């Protein structure tokens, strides 16, 4: 049957999913050396596109920022997630 280990694994997976969603969509602001930025990678991406006059520098900052979650981290996480799901479907 379903034991204690399955329940613990479910809570661990839920916590990891919450962290990923929070780092992607967090509307809170953080104070960095360059000023105040949004913590969430997607929220920050749209804010940078709207607020910066140069869209190339906005994209560069959204993908490679060092002080908070960036889009490269998010896309790498999604890539690994989908690769794992793909390999889980293999029949041996």
């Amino acid at each position: 049957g379903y034991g204690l280990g399955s329940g613990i694994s479910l809570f661990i997976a839920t916590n990891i999913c919450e962290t990923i969603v929070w780092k992607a969509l967090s509307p809170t602001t953080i104070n960095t050396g360059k000023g105040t930025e949004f913590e969430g990678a997607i929220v920050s991406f749209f804010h940078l596109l709207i607020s910066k006059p140069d869209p190339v520098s906005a994209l560069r900052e959204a993908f490679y920022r060092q002080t908070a979650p960036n889009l490269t981290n998010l896309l790498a996480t999604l890539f690994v997630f989908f690769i794992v799901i793909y390999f889980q479907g293999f029949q041996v």
Side-chain angles (χ1 to χ4, degrees), residues 6 32 34 38 42-43 49 69 90:
S6 297
T32 62
K34 296 183 288 186
F38 284 101
I42 296 173
V43 176
L49 278 179
F90 278 1

Side-chain angles (χ1 to χ4, degrees), residues 16-81:
I16 291 170
C17 288
E18 176 190 4
T19 302
I20 291 169
V21 169
W22 181 255
K23 289 187 181 287
L25 301 173
S26 173
T28 60
T29 57
I30 53 175
N31 192 5
T32 62
K34 296 183 288 186
T36 304
E37 295 182 12
F38 284 101
E39 183 181 8
I42 296 173
V43 176
S44 176
F45 168 69
F46 286 113
H47 177 260
L48 288 170
L49 278 179
I50 292 169
S51 65
K52 285 200 176 263
D54 181 23
V56 175
S57 68
L59 284 172
R60 187 176 297 124
E61 187 171 344
F63 273 92
Y64 301 114
R65 66 183 184 157
Q66 299 290 321
T67 56
N70 58 39
L71 287 178
T72 305
N73 296 347
L74 182 62
L75 291 176
T77 301
L78 291 175
F79 176 74
V80 170
F81 180 73

